Amino acid sequence: MSTFDYSNPVKFYFGAGKFNQLGEIAAKHGQNVLLVVSDSTKHTGQLERAQQALSDAGITFAIYDRFMQNPLSTLVEEGAALARDKHCDLVIGIGGGSAMDMAKGIAFCACNEGSIWDYVFGKKQAQHALPVILIPTTAGTGSEANRTAVFTNPQTHDKKRAG
C-alpha cells in the first residue's frame, strides 16, 4: 500500500454566521485590504456586508471588480498594481472561482515583479504573496481550498494553471 504526506496550508472558517466575522478574521492578517469582487456580490448585498464588517474592524479597503470568467493575466497585473498603489497588506476575494483565482493572482503579483507568466513557466522564482482570504459564493469550484489558480493570456489565448 502506498503512503504519502500532504500539506495544504489552508484554514477554513465554516458555518452559519462566519461571514459576520470577516472583519475580525481579516484584522489578524492586515489593516489595508484589496477586495476582489464579482458583480454578483453587489446584487446580493455581500459586498456591502463585507465593507461594513471591515469598516467596523477599523480596516481600510479598496475594491477591484474588473474581471471575467477565465481571468486575464493583464487584469491580474492591473489588480496587483492597485494593491501596491493602495499599500494593501491583505487580499480578500468574494465570488465564484474566477474571483477567487483573481484574488490569488493579485496577491502573488503584488509582491513579485514582472509578468505572472514568468513564474508560470519557471523563468522566475518567488516565495512571497500577500495573505488571502477567499469567500466562495458558488458551490463546486474548490478554488478556496487550494493555492492554484487558472489565468488566460490575452495575447496567446493560452489558459494555464498557476500555483
Side-chain angles (χ1 to χ4, degrees):
M1 176 180 261
S2 297
T3 65
F4 63 92
D5 294 333
Y6 177 74
S7 176
N8 188 5
V10 175
K11 184 171 185 174
F12 287 96
Y13 296 87
F14 179 83
K18 290 295 181 180
F19 192 95
N20 297 331
Q21 296 175 1
L22 178 59
E24 175 187 331
I25 294 166
K28 295 175 185 176
H29 303 285
Q31 290 298 307
N32 197 13
V33 170
L34 182 66
L35 276 169
V36 179
V37 297
S38 66
D39 285 341
S40 66
T41 62
K42 298 171 188 172
H43 304 298
T44 61
Q46 290 165 311
L47 175 57
E48 185 177 328
R49 287 180 58 208
Q51 290 172 302
Q52 187 64 55
L54 295 172
S55 292
D56 289 350
I59 297 172
T60 59
F61 56 87
I63 297 172
Y64 186 74
D65 60 0
R66 284 183 32 97
F67 68 91
M68 59 190 69
Q69 288 180 340
N70 302 311
L72 298 177
S73 57
T74 50
L75 295 178
V76 169
E77 291 165 3
E78 180 181 288
L82 177 62
R84 285 190 300 271
D85 183 57
K86 298 291 185 178
H87 306 286
C88 294
D89 52 8
L90 172 65
V91 177
I92 297 175
I94 305 174
S98 294
M100 292 186 286
D101 284 358
M102 282 287 292
K104 292 179 205 180
I106 289 169
F108 178 83
C109 288
C111 295
N112 298 287
E113 293 183 3
S115 168
I116 195 166
W117 299 113
D118 293 337
Y119 300 93
V120 170
F121 292 114
K123 294 177 184 175
K124 291 185 178 181
Q125 297 292 316
Q127 298 296 317
H128 303 287
L130 294 176
V132 179
I133 294 174
L134 301 173
I135 302 170
T137 60
T138 60
T141 72
S143 189
E144 72 280 2
N146 61 58
R147 64 185 198 133
T148 61
V150 177
F151 305 111
T152 302
N153 184 326
Q155 294 173 333
T156 64
H157 304 288
D158 231 1
K159 185 175 170 181
K160 298 285 184 201
R161 182 176 63 93

